[in-house]
Amino acid sequence: MPAVILAAEQENILRIHWDEFTFGLIAFIVIFGVVVKMWPRLTSALDERANQIEGGIERAKKAEAEAEETRQQYREKLEEAHRQYAQELEKAREQRAAIIAEAREEAQAEGRRIIEAAHAQIEADRQHALAQLRSEIGVLSTDLATRIVGETLSDSAAQNRVIDRFLEELEQTDNPAQAEVR
């Protein structure tokens, strides 16, 4: 029996099972029909998707080129702004130097004017003091001469002569005590 079981168990593997073959053929025809019918839509969808991707790539390249152009323009504007800033800074330095020089010149001119005014004032004060001193010396010398001589110098011309002679002698000598009254 074991040989019979073995023979019965061994079937011909090349034998066609018609029910499986029929089902497989129907499934193949249905799938083939669906694929044939859907193939144009599938290819058009794939083509459309490829076109969209390529268009997206082209748009991205254009956008990148525009961005690079904008970046380059920005760099140029930035460089121009730096140049203008440097020029304005140089102008400001020149103006500062000019203002400082002008202020220095004005200060020096004002200083010279003040010094000249001070010299003029000193000279005017000196002349005034000399005139006042002459007047006082004249009065004192007249009083002294009147006491020494014992006469009154009522004559104005005589008084002026005595005063002038005394002042001349006083100016010629270094020591005022040596000046004589005549």
Side-chain angles (χ1 to χ4, degrees), residues 51-181:
N51 288 338
Q52 285 179 351
I53 291 172
E54 288 175 5
I57 291 172
E58 288 298 318
R59 284 191 303 274
K61 286 180 182 178
K62 286 180 184 178
E64 185 178 345
E66 289 175 3
E68 183 62 33
E69 183 179 327
T70 304
R71 189 178 307 129
Q72 186 63 28
Q73 289 174 353
Y74 171 75
R75 286 181 187 148
E76 290 172 2
K77 287 180 181 179
L78 186 62
E79 289 173 4
E80 179 63 27
H82 284 304
R83 281 192 296 274
Q84 287 178 351
Y85 171 74
Q87 289 173 350
E88 292 296 322
L89 190 60
E90 186 61 30
K91 284 180 186 178
R93 286 182 184 148
E94 291 172 2
Q95 287 176 350
R96 181 186 69 179
I99 289 171
I100 290 172
E102 183 179 334
R104 188 173 289 138
E105 288 176 13
E106 288 177 5
Q108 288 174 351
E110 183 67 19
R112 284 192 298 272
R113 187 191 63 76
I114 290 171
I115 290 171
E116 289 172 3
H119 285 310
Q121 184 65 36
I122 290 170
E123 185 61 29
D125 290 345
R126 184 177 162 275
Q127 292 298 327
H128 178 68
L130 281 176
Q132 193 173 15
L133 185 61
R134 267 184 188 255
S135 171
E136 287 181 22
I137 289 176
V139 170
L140 289 175
S141 64
T142 305
D143 285 343
L144 184 62
T146 302
R147 287 185 188 169
I148 293 175
V149 175
E151 297 178 20
T152 304
L153 294 172
S154 59
D155 183 16
S156 153
Q159 267 185 355
N160 286 340
R161 279 194 310 271
V162 170
I163 292 170
D164 288 339
R165 191 175 55 222
F166 177 72
L167 289 176
E168 285 176 16
E169 288 177 9
L170 189 62
E171 287 176 358
Q172 290 175 358
T173 62
D174 292 336
N175 190 355
Q178 295 177 351
E180 298 178 14
V181 177

